[in-house]
Amino acid sequence: MMTENSSTMVAASLYKPLLPFVERKGSLMIGLRRQMVSRRPRCILVKQGTVKRCVAALLVLSIISIFCYTRYLVNTPFSSLMRRDSRLEPSIRCAILSGATRVPAVAHDHRSAARLRIDPKVLVFVETTYSRLGREIAELLVYNRIKYKVEVSGKSLPVLTNLDKGKYGVIVFENLNKYLQMDKWNRELLDKYCREYSVGIVGFNPPSEETLVGAQLRGFPLFIHTNLRLKDAALNAGSPVLRLTRAGETAWGELPGEDWTIFSANHSTYEPLAWATRNSEDFLSAEMSRTPLATVIQDHGVYDGIQRVLFGGGLRFWLHKLLFLDSLSYLSHGQLSVSLQRFLLVDVDDIFVGEKGTRLRKDDVVALLATQQRIQQLVPGFRFNLGFSGKYFHHGTSEENLGDDLLLENVDSFMWFSHMWNHQQPHLYDNITQLEMDMTLNREFAKEHGIPVDSGYSIAPHHSGVYPVHEMLYEAWKRVWNIRVTSTEEYPHLRPARLRRGFIHRNIMVLPRQTCGLFTHTIMIQRYPGGREKLDEAIQGGELFQTIVYNPINIFMTHMSNYGNDRLALYTFESVIKFLQCWTNLRLITAPPLQIGERYFQLYPEEGDPVWGNPCDDVRHQRIWSHNKTCEQLPRFLVIGPQKTGTTALYTFLSMHPDISSNFPSPDTFEEIQFFNGKNYYRGLDWYMSFFPVPKNATARYLFEKSATYFDGDLVPRRAHALLPHAKLVTILISPARRAYSWYQHTRAHGDQVALNYSFHQVITASDTSPKPLRELRNRCLNPGKYSQHLERWLSYYPPQQLHIIDGDQLRSNPVETMNELQRFLKIQPPFDYSKHLRYDPKKGFFCQVVNEDHTKCLGRSKGRQYPPMEDKSYKLLQRYYLSHNTALVKLLKRLGHRSVPQWLKDDLSDTVTA
């Protein structure tokens, strides 16, 4: 007979053999069954009481085994079969959603006549350029496209006015103490500005190691208590500051951080804007512990004539970010108000695409329709936008194929757009005919199944071909689908999201696309990074919530698999929309993509012009870049001009070098491409790269481009740096007066009627009321010679070590040494011996290329022309005109480390010129 101890041993012996099966992701249930069968005779021999214990032990083991097996199944496709009935349901509750009207939603209009006297710009005083809160403030302003200027506290005040208008609508202090402790002169100057122009101040009370209890703010009837832990935030529904933010609810739970400041006042000028309650026993009186504690307080300006909003915490708490935006709006009299209208478009990519077991089933489609209907009650006209790849229709399980059918039965309930027929990335196509054929297959599928084909919108899988641009995609889109709008996360880069922008290429509008945290693989809540807690955090005041708050246009990317399985997308969007309704006065609306695109570029017309970045500097962009392109097919240095300084001669000398290769000539502009400064830029990166050969030996070849018109182009430095941030720059400078005269003679030689009809002196003295052609010639003569101004623009994008300045007179008189210096700057090894390949030609009056050992090959007849000398009165006038520019150039050259000033510059500055 077995004792009680022996029965325990039996149970242990039953469990122990199961351990290998629990640890292995293999035949667990088979092993369990075998163990149970092998132990059955021993159970028969025990007493009745022992049998009960044995059964109980087996029951415990069964539960443990099922638990382990379930954990294993979660990571397999079978998990979808086990979890279909345990999906998340939105749990957002608030008074407004239940129809309560006891707290009316008031979005105050902050506009007043005072806003006409100030510019819509924020002046931010930070402790240091790297302080955390200062960066958070700047990022929030960038998110909302609010102009701002950052100044380090303690320095002299910047200029606050421009004529009779204030330059800033709100003053923000990252550290309120920096405002309170300003020196008397600056404080009086700043306060006077705020009173005169009705400009308000936002201040944040900083955390400190010392805990203050009832400490008075310097100079104000306001007291603070610091280093508190708080919870359960609520808003003052009667505050006139609230516009974006809706009051009436409580944000339950702990507030982030343990260094909160609360305010108490004994003057009527102060009114609480937000409250919280204590979270622990801190240094508070019994009376204070029973009352709400003011975490944000408004100063109406009764005390000293200046309105303020003071924050007792930073921007870590999501509600403070909303209140900060409302404070900017209120204190600037509406100049810094953000729009309350939000467009919302939810794309569902990959319809009909997905592995078996992860696709939409019939009940998922029913849930999709039901959720869409509920959202429509909050967002009028809302419809999910489905992107389909017809090749994979009916490629799921039998139940998933029924889901496909139900989608098409309800085709009119959704918006639709074409994905790709076979879901292939467009940049992988190098034959436009094949690309168009595949697009046509998707179009024919749509017609066959009643899917609308006139949306004018399409999305490329993985954003391929949209940016970096694959020209075939744009061309095929226009021919097959008449596409007029698309969207991507990649411009100018996937992260950070706040910097995403739109552009227009080949008349197709490209809109910035947002992410909601759901990707193809996040189909189960257990596999969501951080689980449901992290997802809810994004929804309830976190990243997703803030994305919609900050962006007037929101286009979200989701995938079909996000709507099956645990239906995370349905949960996410219904929840965040409800949370937005609870806490904001935003008006959510939806519209077809084409209408949204037109609205976007009405709001931001300046974004229509693209800025082509360098795909070689972004691993993600290289992956979705055409395989027939190479990073070595871009120039390593640019000769940027200006015109008529010797750039063609330099181009010729460089082309003689065996390791240097220029671009192919252009049929329109000869050796110059003129890409960055004109209409050619809109032809795109593919067009530009087509002018450059693929180097046979990348380490030994130096590609370059020379376009002399780049030097003084306003947009050129930004565009060039975006595409060629590591390129070196070469410029040539001569006397600006002589350069202007040379340009005038150049235009005369080419038959320009204006130059033929007017003398040089008449051109350079033309007034702003002169005929337009004359003014244009005057500007082309004079403007490029403002060397320091244009060089400063280039140096705002490129570091000085990437810029090489050539003295044009030295290039003409001593090209060998000039070219040797240039080779050293470019770090070309081995150097080319120009002394053997250049010789002075007395007939031409300049150096020419040596050919066949004893002959020279010079530039064409148009180069080195002898012009009549410039009139002395014109030279004197140009000396006066360029005096300030030449003086600035001397200072710039010294700053750049140039040891000597060019002789022509000394000559232009040598004479004392009188009017």
Side-chain angles (χ1 to χ4, degrees), residues 500-516:
R500 292 178 193 161
R501 296 294 184 260
F503 68 96
I504 299 175
H505 184 56
R506 293 188 177 272
N507 293 321
I508 293 179
M509 297 176 285
V510 183
L511 303 179
R513 206 170 181 192
Q514 307 300 333
T515 52
C516 60

Side-chain angles (χ1 to χ4, degrees), residues 853-873:
E853 296 184 357
D854 57 347
H855 293 82
T856 59
K857 178 181 179 182
C858 298
L859 296 176
R861 295 176 57 186
S862 63
K863 303 299 178 182
R865 284 196 183 99
Q866 296 297 319
Y867 302 127
M870 188 192 319
E871 292 180 307
D872 188 59
K873 65 176 181 178

